[in-house]
Amino acid sequence: MRFSRSNPHSALPLYKEHSKSTSTFRSSKQLLIIGLFYIILILFIINLFNFLLFHKPESSSITNLDYSFILPNPSHSDLKDLIIVAGHAIYLSNRLDEVEQDDNWILESFQKGGHVKTFLNHIRKGLELAQQNTKALLVFSGGQTRPAAGPMSEAQSYYAIAQKLDLFSAEKDSHLVIDRMTTEEYARDSYENLLFSICRFTEVTGHHPQSITVIGFEFKRKRFLDLHRAAIKFPLD
């Protein structure tokens, strides 16, 4: 490419060379800014460390709140022992004379033809033990395990049967236990039968049970004693 004065646009642009002193000044300014940044960062980290190490938060006033308006007072603070009847099925009828008929229960296939009588024996045994021990709370445990039963739980159906049986036995001068019966309606297995019933006992009485009796199938004895009881660290007799 040729260059001439008559065609100045064809010439390459000329760049003015900066002096050495100007470059040195800018470098010093950049170093100063970087240095100040690191000093501020170090001071911030030191202050943050001191705050986390020595700062003690003041006790929150929430610990002094009165929760009595939320949690009801225990209704049976005098009770000491827990009797658990673990549910296994749901009874749908309201008639006591039909309680032994499989058609009125929602049963698994393996429960038909004999299990209903066992369920009733569990309920009767729970009533019997509660009648003998006036310091015991009888808890029927079992959740909403059958979709066909809707919101009805195992515990509710057992409670309804027990209520009718207890009223019937009252005619024979037996000690009523209705006032010491309640339900636990969230358990889905035997471990939850035990754990949730203890929670329900504490909710009703305001303290943990001194002794626990579980009424259920014999083949589950080892499971309750050696596994579930040990898991929650409840002492043996």
Side-chain angles (χ1 to χ4, degrees):
M1 179 181 293
R2 298 181 63 183
F3 304 99
S4 65
R5 295 180 180 273
S6 61
N7 186 16
H9 298 290
S10 64
L12 291 175
L14 298 177
Y15 293 94
K16 185 177 181 180
E17 184 179 355
H18 296 289
S19 64
K20 185 176 181 180
S21 60
T22 303
S23 300
T24 303
F25 173 76
R26 289 185 177 179
S27 298
S28 300
K29 187 176 181 180
Q30 291 175 352
L31 290 175
L32 179 62
I33 294 174
I34 294 173
L36 289 175
F37 172 77
Y38 279 109
I39 291 173
I40 294 173
L41 180 62
I42 292 172
L43 291 175
F44 173 78
I45 294 174
I46 293 174
N47 289 331
L48 179 61
F49 177 78
N50 290 332
F51 175 82
L52 296 176
L53 184 62
F54 299 106
H55 178 70
K56 295 182 179 180
E58 297 180 358
S59 58
S60 175
S61 59
I62 195 171
T63 57
N64 299 322
L65 289 178
D66 181 11
Y67 291 97
S68 60
F69 67 97
I70 300 176
L71 299 176
N73 292 326
S75 56
H76 289 290
S77 58
D78 59 321
L79 301 183
K80 300 178 180 179
D81 304 318
L82 170 60
I83 300 172
I84 304 171
V85 176
H88 297 90
I90 297 176
Y91 180 63
L92 296 179
S93 176
N94 292 322
R95 298 181 56 178
L96 191 60
D97 58 344
E98 298 178 346
V99 73
E100 294 187 5
Q101 300 177 15
D102 284 4
D103 293 340
N104 295 318
W105 291 75
I106 299 181
L107 303 171
E108 299 291 348
S109 58
F110 66 88
Q111 294 176 322
K112 297 178 180 180
H115 276 65
V116 167
K117 291 184 178 180
T118 303
F119 302 156
L120 295 176
N121 287 336
H122 291 168
I123 296 172
R124 292 190 179 98
K125 189 63 177 179
L127 289 171
E128 177 186 340
L129 294 180
Q131 288 170 350
Q132 295 172 0
N133 184 358
T134 58
K135 294 297 183 181
L137 178 70
L138 177 58
V139 176
F140 296 101
S141 174
Q144 300 173 6
T145 58
R146 303 292 190 274
M152 176 66 72
S153 66
E154 295 173 351
Q156 287 178 2
S157 63
Y158 274 45
Y159 182 94
I161 295 172
Q163 190 177 37
K164 291 179 173 61
L165 290 174
D166 191 46
L167 288 173
F168 179 75
S169 64
E171 299 176 0
K172 302 178 182 179
D173 297 328
S174 296
H175 184 73
L176 282 172
V177 297
I178 290 179
D179 189 48
R180 293 183 287 113
M181 293 189 334
T182 188
T183 60
E184 179 289 302
E185 302 181 44
Y186 296 95
R188 299 162 298 178
D189 54 38
S190 55
Y191 175 72
E192 291 183 350
N193 285 139
L194 177 61
L195 179 62
F196 293 174
S197 293
I198 294 175
C199 294
R200 180 60 173 151
F201 180 93
T202 304
E203 183 179 37
V204 172
T205 66
H207 55 265
H208 296 311
Q210 292 184 358
S211 68
I212 300 175
T213 301
V214 180
I215 300 172
F217 288 99
E218 177 63 28
F219 73 87
K220 292 187 177 182
R221 176 188 295 271
K222 184 176 178 63
R223 183 186 308 177
F224 275 103
L225 286 177
D226 298 344
L227 298 179
H228 302 336
R229 180 205 58 79
I232 64 174
K233 301 185 184 304
F234 194 88
L236 286 171
D237 293 339

